Amino acid sequence: MINLAVFGVGRIGHVHAINASGLGSVRIKYLVDPIAGEHQAHLAARLGAESVSADTVFSDSSIDGVIIASSTDTHAELLLKAAKSGKAIFCEKPVSLNFATVEAVTNAVNASGVSCLLAFQRRYDPDFRFVRDRVLSGDAGTLEHIVMHTRDPSPPSLAYIGHSGGMFRDQAIHDFDMARYLLGEEITTVYAVGNCLIDKAFGDAGDIDTAMVTLTSASGRFVQMINCRRAPFGYDQRLEVLCSKEVLYVENRPQRGVTIADVSGFRGSPPMNYFIERFAAAYRDEMAAFVDMIETGQVPLAGIRDGLEAQRIAEAAIVSIQSGMPIHIGPDWRP
Amino acid sequence: MINLAVFGVGRIGHVHAINASGLGSVRIKYLVDPIAGEHQAHLAARLGAESVSADTVFSDSSIDGVIIASSTDTHAELLLKAAKSGKAIFCEKPVSLNFATVEAVTNAVNASGVSCLLAFQRRYDPDFRFVRDRVLSGDAGTLEHIVMHTRDPSPPSLAYIGHSGGMFRDQAIHDFDMARYLLGEEITTVYAVGNCLIDKAFGDAGDIDTAMVTLTSASGRFVQMINCRRAPFGYDQRLEVLCSKEVLYVENRPQRGVTIADVSGFRGSPPMNYFIERFAAAYRDEMAAFVDMIETGQVPLAGIRDGLEAQRIAEAAIVSIQSGMPIHIGPDWRP
Amino acid sequence: MINLAVFGVGRIGHVHAINASGLGSVRIKYLVDPIAGEHQAHLAARLGAESVSADTVFSDSSIDGVIIASSTDTHAELLLKAAKSGKAIFCEKPVSLNFATVEAVTNAVNASGVSCLLAFQRRYDPDFRFVRDRVLSGDAGTLEHIVMHTRDPSPPSLAYIGHSGGMFRDQAIHDFDMARYLLGEEITTVYAVGNCLIDKAFGDAGDIDTAMVTLTSASGRFVQMINCRRAPFGYDQRLEVLCSKEVLYVENRPQRGVTIADVSGFRGSPPMNYFIERFAAAYRDEMAAFVDMIETGQVPLAGIRDGLEAQRIAEAAIVSIQSGMPIHIGPDWRP
Amino acid sequence: MINLAVFGVGRIGHVHAINASGLGSVRIKYLVDPIAGEHQAHLAARLGAESVSADTVFSDSSIDGVIIASSTDTHAELLLKAAKSGKAIFCEKPVSLNFATVEAVTNAVNASGVSCLLAFQRRYDPDFRFVRDRVLSGDAGTLEHIVMHTRDPSPPSLAYIGHSGGMFRDQAIHDFDMARYLLGEEITTVYAVGNCLIDKAFGDAGDIDTAMVTLTSASGRFVQMINCRRAPFGYDQRLEVLCSKEVLYVENRPQRGVTIADVSGFRGSPPMNYFIERFAAAYRDEMAAFVDMIETGQVPLAGIRDGLEAQRIAEAAIVSIQSGMPIHIGPDWRP
């Protein structure tokens, strides 16, 4: 039996706790969320877990791993404590909004020898995995370029924007990760344009709502990204991978399998709304991978260094917009 | 150079005349349409043709073939005259609304040795041909059953209904023909239900507006047909052929290649409206086949006996609705 | 807290038990399956349930309801016992392969006053519900006719065929139910054709593998059904409802949201395979409806009389194939 | 009657000549193509035209307009002669591979007062027009950003590459034009990356085979382009316009309306192959617009200045790749 503690039982922490508890060999022993109140109590009752403070978790030697799904500003400290106390780590991205902190924590976790799964759940999505596997199999030929669309169904609140780190660190970071993952090599040049085309208020909050990014990889292959805080039809999350023999597309998943036809044409359903629904299978599979990592040592699809490298690209994109220039990056580049 | 005469220059006759004139080796010498007036004069000028009476056509030995696209009640007489005068025949369906006449004319044309293309243009449509060819190639496996949808974009006028011969002889006859053509064998049992679900006025005119038909072939395979005088979205003309290894679908062809996405979902274009647009390529190809028949003796995809056999099924469907019983047919069955 | 007992923990009973246990207010107290052995022990441990005999269930006054998912030949007796002991009933279709038994049990259950949900899960599927709701709302206009496709991914074993009651009672019964449900009225004429086009061995077992059925409703509206034991691409489960303003389609749900494009075209994913996956949401929702029926008296979407009426149509379809005639049915018709 | 002369009767000149001759009021009087030989003679016979030298055309006062479809290196001189002799001009893009020449010719044509349609045929395509009209109507809301895909079905020959001016001047110029056209304003920043990912031989010829371009407009809106000399499935020509209320997509047009379903899924047809087929309607409509321009003075959808501005963006894209920097352009920018 694997004993786990969950930090943060908001929307995504709740999903992770339920998914972990559904795995036969797992016991959610502790929940840690100073502000969740009644919701935490309810979830604790359902899971047979106890609501405790962080210290209890790290001093309990029966705890095998921690799930860090609390607010971003708590991640770094929890990662360091988990590394120090030898608990296996499942951590939501990003590690920190401060790149130097990300780098320091990454180094510390790596030095500790503790295994860590960084929650780029898209790597675990069956559709994205199918594409990755097909590229690796060679059936599609050589990967030449990638186009990605990420558009939220509607803009977040200004309050959220304020502590999100901005669109690149918050939303586009999944695309930066997917670019590296599918290419199988590092990005060396980043060019980004961005603007507030939906609502000027995002600009007052220091952010943008629309961006286009071009990435060039070490071997000279290309990635284009369209990132936006709104699509009129809902959540737009697509991938197009051009290889020499095939083009592979991850399409949006519709809410319904119903088409309505009338004089205006054939109306298909809007896509699943929103990431909790769209990536339900990915969240289940990544939690199973976390438990598998603890039980068998199986290396997860994304580790803590992947968080660092994706964030390096995000930082470069921010600098690119500020400077109007393409940014050349490498392992020593820092914002 | 092939010299042709066109009988009837209404909508479909106009299409045939233009298509024939676009073939390098063809000259449209005569147009015959007692009621077309100015339209005929205009078309004659465009084609360099002469407007004449039927007698002129049949007594002119330079005429190689006739295109019969006049009203249905004139077909039988023109077919007999063409057979007698040795002109190759292109004839719009149906030969006659009277089955005994169809049978007599079919026999006379066959006895004359004149070659005849009966205008079941769907056999010449590139999509339907693709399906037919794939079935014949064996790649799809053994054909087991067929489902066909034919729905007009909107009901015809009551005036049209009055001399159309009814939905089976007028519209569904193309499906009866396609069933025989794809199965490669004769139909032996016909069961049909029909009603006026769109407008009771069609019933007063002795017709129906909605029908469903089940056909059983000599070897025990099945066809289902949905026939209707209206689809809310426009012209619905589809085919589904289940074979042991593949299902082959002929889909509707959209008017536009534009999708509009908004909060209600993804809206694709309505289908092409109507048969003149949908089957434009088929009309061109069947006219080329007619000229090829004259020039090289190439047997066309549909001959006059195909008109007789499709109409036999239509007659049986009418009797089935009247009697409420399945009708067993064979080469000797007559309504 | 609602206490339930589950009869039969095979594939579908397992799904029902898990779904019921996931509802906050439910306790699965008993499992009853004389042949499930280790599988039952494992499930009992997971759910905190006890493996007992049927008698224990019916004599325990704390049991609020029973889930009957055992083999068809046990349904009638369990239904009668549940009715007698006043337990709410969730019962898999069919009630019995013998129509007289279905009728007798239906009458007994109705007379007992016990509430009963008959598991036509398709009524609870979100896509089918969406269509039903849209028809009821009037937005689609008047329903005129229906086309349904049900094709299994591959034929069942001959052993299964032997005790299945045949394709109409086993598979097509869901379509008969959906026809009644969407039309909101009874079927009065049934015409069916059937044959063994996939494998003659099904014929030796007294069954067919391919059927086409035409239903006429009391008000003269039509339904066409295509039923088959195999589609080359997998599970084919579709609905098309033509109304005066809209056509509503329930499409197949793809396994993956990935398209592969190469020189042969654009390849979309096969459909979900098979009903357990396709109707996962429907099974969850119908179990929630069962608990809701117990807790609040909410009438379920399908009751025991719906099983009787769907089976009457199935029996008529069988007689139609045997006799080659359309069968006229009403509340007094029996096979 | 409008008298026209056609310069160049290669693939596209042939299309234009046939389309023009199909318009009721047009007579193709002359064909001018020093190297077309027998093909020209055949076409001349079909159209009742005469094969002459360029001088004959410009000294014949009955000629109302000229269609310039000869090789690119002849465009500038023919444009100047047409402007001088007062003939209305239909000219294939580009005006010249040399930007200074484009500018000089544009100024000369504008100064002459001769009307000129520059053949950006995509503006006349019914699908692209539908999108443009919908944006202009306001129904879609405010246009925010655009994504365009242009991929050829297979790379051109190295010989073609050598005199094509490179991928930006030859292929992507249509996308640069469409960007300006849909945005309704000028582009001010151009960033491009490019490489030879398909075949290094294109690099030896001084060209690239894969490019990604980001455009920023005067008001700060964005366009992303994917340009490639090959798509594994054929000709890929798509547009996606995100507006505040709707996203509008121009999809590829399939060759066939046939889907094949088997165990590997649902296979749709490859797209139309190639631009001659895909833009057949556009070519007809732009020729009708040319005749309309002559007859009624109707301003065409694209004039000679549009050629200049699209080419300015192409030149900036080339400089961007060479320098690795975004290029800021305006009316005074020159390469």
Side-chain angles (χ1 to χ4, degrees):
Chain A
M1 185 63 74
I2 305 275
N3 287 307
L4 300 179
V6 178
F7 292 85
V9 295
R11 187 162 54 167
I12 192 68
H14 187 97
V15 168
H16 291 323
I18 296 288
N19 283 340
S21 74
L23 297 167
S25 55
V26 169
R27 175 181 168 215
I28 303 289
K29 189 166 181 185
Y30 298 130
L31 302 183
V32 186
D33 194 329
I35 61 166
E38 210 171 316
H39 174 69
Q40 180 170 226
H42 185 81
L43 184 63
R46 175 167 170 191
L47 301 177
E50 200 179 341
S51 296
V52 299
S53 72
D55 289 346
T56 308
V57 171
F58 292 113
S59 60
D60 181 343
S61 64
S62 79
I63 289 293
D64 300 291
V66 296
I67 296 169
I68 303 175
S70 46
S71 64
T72 297
D73 56 3
T74 66
H75 290 187
E77 189 186 343
L78 292 171
L79 280 157
L80 293 172
K81 285 187 176 169
K84 202 169 167 191
S85 57
K87 313 296 190 200
I89 304 166
F90 176 108
C91 185
E92 274 299 319
K93 58 89 217 169
V95 166
S96 165
L97 299 181
N98 180 285
F99 187 79
T101 305
V102 180
E103 204 165 12
V105 172
T106 299
N107 291 338
V109 169
N110 280 338
S112 76
V114 159
S115 55
C116 176
L117 183 156
L118 199 83
F120 285 130
Q121 92 286 351
R122 213 179 287 171
R123 293 193 182 200
Y124 285 98
D125 176 70
D127 292 351
F128 284 86
R129 277 187 94 157
F130 182 91
V131 166
R132 159 82 171 174
D133 290 349
R134 194 158 182 98
V135 169
L136 284 184
S137 76
D139 288 348
T142 308
L143 192 162
E144 296 176 2
H145 65 258
I146 297 173
V147 184
M148 283 185 280
H149 286 72
T150 297
R151 296 176 180 133
D152 296 331
S154 57
S157 67
L158 286 174
Y160 177 89
I161 291 285
H163 61 260
S164 71
M167 198 166 75
F168 286 126
R169 292 189 193 97
D170 177 50
Q171 180 219 59
I173 197 164
H174 287 283
D175 301 300
F176 297 133
D177 177 62
M178 190 49 60
R180 290 181 63 244
Y181 185 56
L182 288 172
L183 287 167
E185 62 174 336
E186 296 300 337
I187 298 303
T188 53
T189 307
V190 180
Y191 176 76
V193 294
N195 204 347
C196 293
L197 297 174
I198 300 168
D199 191 340
K200 294 297 170 202
F202 295 119
D204 301 336
D207 201 1
I208 52 175
D209 56 36
T210 303
M212 292 185 161
V213 184
T214 305
L215 307 177
T216 305
S217 75
S219 70
R221 296 181 292 166
F222 304 122
V223 179
Q224 273 205 344
M225 295 166 41
I226 296 97
N227 290 81
C228 194
R229 284 299 195 184
R230 179 196 59 201
F233 56 79
Y235 186 37
D236 192 17
Q237 181 55 81
R238 284 177 291 147
L239 173 70
E240 176 177 340
V241 180
L242 185 134
C243 304
S244 54
K245 292 188 204 159
E246 293 179 344
V247 189
L248 305 169
Y249 304 87
V250 175
E251 314 278 7
N252 286 315
R253 287 283 194 144
Q255 279 173 44
R256 283 185 300 274
V258 175
T259 298
I260 303 174
D262 65 11
V263 73
S264 73
F266 288 75
R267 201 155 10 118
S269 158
M272 282 184 175
N273 193 18
Y274 179 28
F275 61 90
I276 298 288
E277 290 74 24
R278 169 63 184 84
F279 289 109
Y283 291 126
R284 283 195 298 271
D285 287 356
E286 81 175 347
M287 189 50 66
F290 177 54
V291 172
D292 199 30
M293 180 183 87
I294 297 174
E295 286 182 327
T296 74
Q298 174 71 38
V299 176
L301 297 184
I304 194 158
R305 198 180 76 84
D306 295 305
L308 176 69
E309 294 304 332
Q311 199 147 343
R312 198 191 307 274
I313 305 172
E315 300 295 339
I318 292 165
V319 176
S320 178
I321 289 186
Q322 286 163 349
S323 65
M325 303 295 262
I327 307 300
H328 301 284
I329 60 176
D332 297 328
W333 186 88
R334 288 170 189 82
Chain B
M1 185 63 73
I2 304 276
N3 288 307
L4 300 179
V6 178
F7 291 86
V9 294
R11 186 163 53 167
I12 192 68
H14 188 97
V15 168
H16 292 322
I18 296 288
N19 284 339
S21 74
L23 297 167
S25 55
V26 169
R27 175 181 167 216
I28 304 289
K29 188 166 181 185
Y30 298 129
L31 303 182
V32 186
D33 195 329
I35 61 167
E38 210 171 315
H39 173 69
Q40 180 170 226
H42 185 81
L43 184 63
R46 175 165 171 194
L47 302 178
E50 200 179 342
S51 296
V52 299
S53 71
D55 288 346
T56 307
V57 171
F58 293 114
S59 60
D60 181 343
S61 63
S62 77
I63 290 293
D64 300 291
V66 296
I67 297 169
I68 302 175
S70 46
S71 63
T72 298
D73 57 2
T74 66
H75 289 188
E77 190 186 342
L78 291 171
L79 280 157
L80 293 174
K81 284 187 176 169
K84 202 171 166 188
S85 57
K87 314 294 189 200
I89 303 167
F90 177 108
C91 185
E92 274 300 318
K93 57 90 218 168
V95 167
S96 164
L97 299 180
N98 180 284
F99 187 78
T101 304
V102 179
E103 203 165 13
V105 171
T106 299
N107 290 338
V109 169
N110 280 338
S112 76
V114 159
S115 55
C116 176
L117 183 156
L118 200 82
F120 284 130
Q121 92 285 351
R122 213 178 286 169
R123 293 193 182 200
Y124 286 98
D125 176 71
D127 292 351
F128 283 86
R129 277 187 95 157
F130 182 91
V131 167
R132 158 82 172 177
D133 289 349
R134 194 158 182 98
V135 169
L136 285 184
S137 75
D139 289 348
T142 308
L143 192 162
E144 295 175 2
H145 66 258
I146 297 173
V147 183
M148 283 185 280
H149 286 72
T150 297
R151 295 174 180 135
D152 297 330
S154 56
S157 67
L158 286 174
Y160 177 89
I161 292 285
H163 61 261
S164 71
M167 197 165 75
F168 287 125
R169 292 190 194 97
D170 176 51
Q171 180 218 59
I173 197 164
H174 287 284
D175 301 300
F176 296 133
D177 176 63
M178 190 50 60
R180 290 181 63 243
Y181 185 56
L182 288 172
L183 288 167
E185 62 173 337
E186 296 300 335
I187 299 304
T188 53
T189 308
V190 180
Y191 177 75
V193 294
N195 204 348
C196 294
L197 297 173
I198 301 168
D199 191 341
K200 294 297 170 201
F202 295 118
D204 301 337
D207 202 2
I208 52 176
D209 56 37
T210 303
M212 292 187 162
V213 185
T214 305
L215 307 177
T216 305
S217 75
S219 70
R221 297 182 292 166
F222 304 122
V223 179
Q224 272 205 343
M225 295 166 42
I226 296 96
N227 291 81
C228 195
R229 285 299 194 184
R230 179 197 60 200
F233 56 78
Y235 187 37
D236 193 16
Q237 181 56 79
R238 285 177 291 148
L239 173 70
E240 175 177 341
V241 180
L242 186 134
C243 304
S244 54
K245 293 188 203 158
E246 293 179 344
V247 189
L248 305 169
Y249 303 87
V250 175
E251 313 279 7
N252 286 316
R253 287 284 193 142
Q255 279 173 43
R256 283 185 299 274
V258 175
T259 297
I260 302 173
D262 65 11
V263 73
S264 73
F266 288 75
R267 203 155 7 119
S269 158
M272 282 184 176
N273 194 16
Y274 182 26
F275 61 91
I276 297 287
E277 290 74 22
R278 169 63 185 84
F279 288 109
Y283 290 125
R284 282 195 298 272
D285 288 356
E286 80 175 346
M287 189 52 65
F290 176 54
V291 171
D292 199 31
M293 180 184 85
I294 296 175
E295 286 183 326
T296 73
Q298 174 71 37
V299 175
L301 296 184
I304 194 157
R305 199 180 77 84
D306 295 305
L308 175 69
E309 293 304 332
Q311 199 146 342
R312 198 190 307 273
I313 306 172
E315 300 295 338
I318 293 165
V319 176
S320 178
I321 289 186
Q322 286 163 349
S323 65
M325 304 295 263
I327 307 300
H328 302 284
I329 60 176
D332 296 328
W333 186 89
R334 288 171 190 83
Chain C
M1 186 62 74
I2 304 276
N3 287 307
L4 300 179
V6 178
F7 291 86
V9 294
R11 186 163 55 167
I12 193 68
H14 188 97
V15 168
H16 292 322
I18 296 288
N19 284 339
S21 74
L23 297 166
S25 55
V26 169
R27 175 181 168 216
I28 304 289
K29 189 167 180 183
Y30 298 131
L31 303 182
V32 186
D33 195 328
I35 61 166
E38 210 170 314
H39 174 69
Q40 180 170 227
H42 185 82
L43 184 63
R46 174 166 171 192
L47 301 176
E50 200 178 342
S51 296
V52 298
S53 72
D55 288 346
T56 307
V57 171
F58 292 114
S59 60
D60 181 342
S61 64
S62 77
I63 290 294
D64 300 291
V66 295
I67 296 169
I68 303 175
S70 45
S71 63
T72 298
D73 57 2
T74 67
H75 290 189
E77 190 186 342
L78 292 171
L79 280 158
L80 292 174
K81 285 186 175 167
K84 202 168 167 190
S85 58
K87 313 295 190 201
I89 303 166
F90 176 108
C91 185
E92 275 300 319
K93 58 89 212 167
V95 167
S96 165
L97 299 181
N98 180 284
F99 187 78
T101 305
V102 180
E103 203 165 14
V105 171
T106 299
N107 290 338
V109 169
N110 280 340
S112 76
V114 159
S115 56
C116 175
L117 183 156
L118 199 83
F120 284 130
Q121 93 286 350
R122 213 179 288 170
R123 293 192 183 202
Y124 285 98
D125 175 70
D127 293 350
F128 283 86
R129 278 188 94 157
F130 182 91
V131 166
R132 158 82 171 175
D133 290 350
R134 193 156 184 98
V135 169
L136 284 184
S137 75
D139 289 348
T142 308
L143 192 163
E144 296 175 2
H145 65 258
I146 296 173
V147 183
M148 284 186 280
H149 285 71
T150 297
R151 296 177 181 134
D152 296 331
S154 56
S157 66
L158 286 174
Y160 177 90
I161 292 285
H163 61 261
S164 71
M167 196 165 75
F168 286 126
R169 292 189 193 98
D170 177 52
Q171 180 217 61
I173 197 164
H174 287 283
D175 301 299
F176 296 133
D177 177 63
M178 190 49 61
R180 290 180 63 242
Y181 185 57
L182 288 172
L183 288 167
E185 63 173 338
E186 296 300 337
I187 298 303
T188 53
T189 308
V190 180
Y191 177 75
V193 294
N195 204 348
C196 294
L197 297 174
I198 301 169
D199 191 340
K200 294 297 170 200
F202 295 118
D204 300 337
D207 202 1
I208 51 175
D209 57 37
T210 303
M212 293 187 160
V213 185
T214 305
L215 307 178
T216 305
S217 76
S219 70
R221 296 181 293 167
F222 304 122
V223 179
Q224 272 205 344
M225 295 165 42
I226 296 96
N227 291 81
C228 195
R229 284 297 193 186
R230 179 196 59 202
F233 55 78
Y235 186 36
D236 192 17
Q237 181 55 82
R238 285 177 291 147
L239 173 70
E240 175 176 341
V241 180
L242 186 134
C243 303
S244 55
K245 293 186 203 160
E246 292 178 346
V247 189
L248 305 168
Y249 304 88
V250 176
E251 314 278 9
N252 286 317
R253 288 284 195 144
Q255 280 174 41
R256 284 185 299 274
V258 175
T259 298
I260 301 173
D262 65 11
V263 73
S264 73
F266 288 75
R267 202 155 8 122
S269 158
M272 281 183 176
N273 192 19
Y274 177 29
F275 61 90
I276 297 287
E277 290 74 23
R278 169 63 185 85
F279 289 110
Y283 291 125
R284 282 195 298 271
D285 289 356
E286 82 175 345
M287 189 51 66
F290 177 54
V291 172
D292 199 30
M293 181 183 85
I294 296 174
E295 285 182 327
T296 74
Q298 174 70 37
V299 176
L301 296 184
I304 193 159
R305 200 181 75 84
D306 296 304
L308 176 69
E309 293 304 333
Q311 200 146 343
R312 198 190 307 274
I313 305 171
E315 301 294 340
I318 292 165
V319 176
S320 178
I321 289 185
Q322 287 163 346
S323 65
M325 302 296 263
I327 307 300
H328 302 283
I329 60 175
D332 297 329
W333 186 89
R334 287 169 190 84
Chain D
M1 185 62 73
I2 303 275
N3 288 307
L4 300 179
V6 178
F7 291 86
V9 294
R11 186 162 54 167
I12 192 67
H14 188 96
V15 168
H16 291 322
I18 296 288
N19 284 339
S21 74
L23 297 167
S25 54
V26 169
R27 175 182 168 215
I28 304 289
K29 190 167 180 184
Y30 299 130
L31 302 183
V32 187
D33 195 328
I35 60 166
E38 210 171 315
H39 174 68
Q40 181 171 226
H42 185 81
L43 184 63
R46 175 167 171 191
L47 301 176
E50 201 178 340
S51 295
V52 300
S53 71
D55 289 346
T56 307
V57 171
F58 292 114
S59 60
D60 181 343
S61 64
S62 76
I63 290 294
D64 299 290
V66 296
I67 297 169
I68 302 175
S70 45
S71 63
T72 298
D73 56 4
T74 66
H75 289 188
E77 189 187 342
L78 292 171
L79 280 157
L80 293 175
K81 284 187 176 168
K84 202 169 167 191
S85 57
K87 313 296 190 200
I89 304 166
F90 176 108
C91 186
E92 275 299 319
K93 59 88 213 168
V95 166
S96 165
L97 299 181
N98 180 284
F99 187 77
T101 305
V102 180
E103 204 164 14
V105 171
T106 299
N107 291 338
V109 169
N110 280 339
S112 75
V114 159
S115 55
C116 175
L117 183 156
L118 199 82
F120 284 131
Q121 93 285 350
R122 213 179 287 170
R123 293 193 183 201
Y124 285 98
D125 176 70
D127 292 351
F128 283 86
R129 278 188 95 157
F130 182 91
V131 167
R132 158 82 170 177
D133 290 349
R134 194 157 183 100
V135 169
L136 285 184
S137 76
D139 288 349
T142 307
L143 192 162
E144 296 175 2
H145 66 258
I146 297 173
V147 184
M148 283 185 280
H149 286 71
T150 297
R151 295 177 181 133
D152 296 330
S154 57
S157 65
L158 285 174
Y160 177 90
I161 292 286
H163 62 260
S164 71
M167 197 166 74
F168 287 125
R169 291 190 193 98
D170 177 52
Q171 181 218 60
I173 198 163
H174 287 283
D175 301 300
F176 296 132
D177 177 63
M178 190 50 60
R180 290 180 62 242
Y181 185 57
L182 288 172
L183 288 166
E185 62 174 337
E186 296 300 336
I187 298 303
T188 53
T189 307
V190 180
Y191 176 76
V193 294
N195 204 347
C196 293
L197 297 174
I198 300 169
D199 192 341
K200 294 297 170 202
F202 295 118
D204 300 336
D207 202 2
I208 51 175
D209 56 37
T210 303
M212 293 187 160
V213 185
T214 305
L215 307 177
T216 305
S217 75
S219 70
R221 297 181 292 167
F222 304 123
V223 179
Q224 272 205 346
M225 294 165 42
I226 296 97
N227 290 81
C228 196
R229 285 298 194 184
R230 180 197 59 202
F233 56 78
Y235 186 37
D236 192 17
Q237 181 55 81
R238 285 177 291 146
L239 173 71
E240 176 176 340
V241 180
L242 185 134
C243 304
S244 54
K245 293 187 202 159
E246 292 178 345
V247 188
L248 305 169
Y249 303 87
V250 176
E251 314 278 9
N252 286 315
R253 288 283 194 143
Q255 281 173 41
R256 283 185 299 274
V258 175
T259 298
I260 302 174
D262 64 12
V263 74
S264 73
F266 288 75
R267 203 156 6 121
S269 158
M272 281 183 177
N273 194 18
Y274 176 32
F275 61 90
I276 297 287
E277 290 73 25
R278 169 63 185 84
F279 289 110
Y283 291 124
R284 282 195 299 270
D285 288 357
E286 82 175 346
M287 189 50 66
F290 177 54
V291 172
D292 199 30
M293 181 183 86
I294 296 175
E295 284 182 327
T296 73
Q298 175 71 37
V299 176
L301 296 184
I304 193 158
R305 200 180 76 82
D306 295 305
L308 176 69
E309 294 304 333
Q311 200 147 341
R312 199 190 307 275
I313 306 172
E315 301 294 339
I318 292 165
V319 176
S320 178
I321 289 186
Q322 287 162 349
S323 65
M325 304 294 265
I327 307 300
H328 302 284
I329 59 174
D332 297 329
W333 186 89
R334 286 170 191 83

